[in-house]
Amino acid sequence: MKIKIEDWLNGSKNAQSSYAYWNDISIEKGKIFNYIEQLETDKHLNDIYSQIIEIETKHSIDIKNKKILSLGCGTCWFEARWLRDKHPQKLTAVDFSKHRVHDLAIETLKYFKVNYNVNLVRGDVTDIKIKNEKFDLILMINSFHNISEPVKLIEEIRRLSNYNTRIIIIGEPYHSSLEYLIRYTKFCIKWLINYKHFRSDNTFPPVHKNLFKKNTTIGDTHYNKKEYNN
């Protein structure tokens, strides 16, 4: 395995407000991704991994000798676990968190004993510094909702795709009908009693973004199905 390290941000702090959160080592060290052995017992992560395998089987996705791009890769846990015996040509993995992609990703790749070339990049996935390369498979696992400019991201994905490229976007937040009903009810109560001048910042009836507001600290945006389809 040959690992190449790149930093497209060159140490600069991107204007995104979530920069500080994702690059705060004190916060990162308290998360489960620092403990590789425990990850395979995490139900949420294993549910996503099972879906990846299901998609691979259902759509006959061939990995061998393919060039793979993973955007918002984090520590590369999904990628390293999935690709370890599939012999891709190369994995290019991009993430905003330097600690995750330059430190934890290396540990994760070694843990799974990967045997292919890897390029680990800290960078902005809406501004990919790759000019003359196309990828056979492009992944976004548990990360699309962290992107503040989804249309710009899709344009980048299209630019890096060839005619036969497979694109997998998976692991997006799911809100059940019960959760939606609970949030809707709470919204209505706050509106009726004008809790802490609630009406001044909210319209009625509420739309999806009123019920599932963006978390600017970590950069989470909760899109509804219509928005995803668009």
Side-chain angles (χ1 to χ4, degrees):
M1 174 182 65
K2 181 180 179 181
I3 297 179
K4 180 181 178 182
I5 304 294
E6 289 189 64
D7 191 341
W8 293 343
L9 300 180
N10 296 318
S12 64
K13 290 191 175 183
N14 190 285
Q16 295 183 30
S17 61
S18 58
Y19 177 92
Y21 177 87
W22 291 108
N23 286 278
D24 189 326
I25 302 299
S26 63
I27 295 176
E28 286 289 292
K29 287 187 175 180
K31 297 178 181 178
I32 192 172
F33 283 99
N34 286 273
Y35 311 97
I36 302 174
E37 295 84 356
Q38 297 180 22
L39 295 178
E40 291 185 51
T41 62
D42 184 275
K43 184 180 185 306
H44 173 65
L45 297 179
N46 276 289
D47 284 345
I48 295 175
Y49 182 75
S50 296
Q51 286 185 316
I52 295 171
I53 300 302
E54 181 181 342
I55 289 171
E56 177 191 14
T57 303
K58 181 178 180 180
H59 297 281
S60 302
I61 296 176
D62 182 21
I63 304 298
K64 188 174 182 180
N65 295 324
K66 297 297 191 294
K67 291 195 292 185
I68 301 170
L69 174 65
S70 181
L71 302 175
C73 64
T75 67
C76 289
W77 183 79
F78 290 106
E79 297 85 347
R81 183 181 178 188
W82 182 34
L83 304 174
R84 55 184 161 181
D85 298 319
K86 299 186 182 296
H87 308 290
Q89 181 185 139
K90 182 179 72 170
L91 168 66
T92 299
V94 184
D95 197 86
F96 195 49
S97 170
K98 185 174 183 179
H99 172 62
R100 290 195 178 201
V101 73
H102 282 177
D103 298 327
L104 295 182
I106 293 176
E107 295 179 20
T108 302
L109 292 164
K110 290 180 178 178
Y111 176 82
F112 285 106
K113 300 178 181 179
V114 302
N115 57 358
Y116 47 86
N117 293 332
V118 180
N119 189 14
L120 298 175
V121 182
R122 184 179 71 134
D124 183 349
V125 298
T126 63
D127 184 21
I128 300 171
K129 310 297 186 182
I130 297 174
K131 301 301 181 185
N132 300 308
E133 187 173 12
K134 304 290 185 180
F135 294 88
D136 303 297
L137 176 64
I138 298 178
L139 304 172
M140 286 206 76
I141 305 173
N142 221 14
S143 59
F144 185 88
H145 58 279
N146 293 132
I147 308 306
S148 60
E149 299 178 275
V151 174
K152 190 174 180 180
L153 167 66
I154 294 297
E155 289 173 347
E156 284 290 82
I157 290 176
R158 179 183 180 183
R159 180 177 65 82
L160 297 164
S161 300
N162 58 46
Y163 183 77
N164 295 311
T165 298
R166 300 294 188 96
I167 301 168
I168 300 176
I169 299 176
I170 194 171
E172 291 300 284
Y174 169 75
H175 304 296
S176 68
S177 298
L178 177 59
E179 183 181 1
Y180 194 93
L181 177 61
I182 291 172
R183 288 181 181 244
Y184 191 93
T185 302
K186 288 182 178 180
F187 184 98
C188 292
I189 292 172
K190 289 180 179 180
W191 174 267
L192 286 171
I193 65 175
N194 199 21
Y195 177 74
K196 293 184 177 181
H197 307 289
F198 190 75
R199 295 180 188 175
S200 63
D201 296 322
N202 295 276
T203 59
F204 193 90
V207 296
H208 184 82
K209 288 182 178 179
N210 293 134
L211 303 179
F212 300 93
K213 292 187 176 181
K214 180 176 181 178
N215 186 327
T216 56
T217 301
I218 63 178
D220 274 359
T221 301
H222 298 268
Y223 302 108
N224 59 30
K225 287 184 178 180
K226 182 178 179 180
E227 290 172 322
Y228 277 117
N229 288 333
N230 287 337

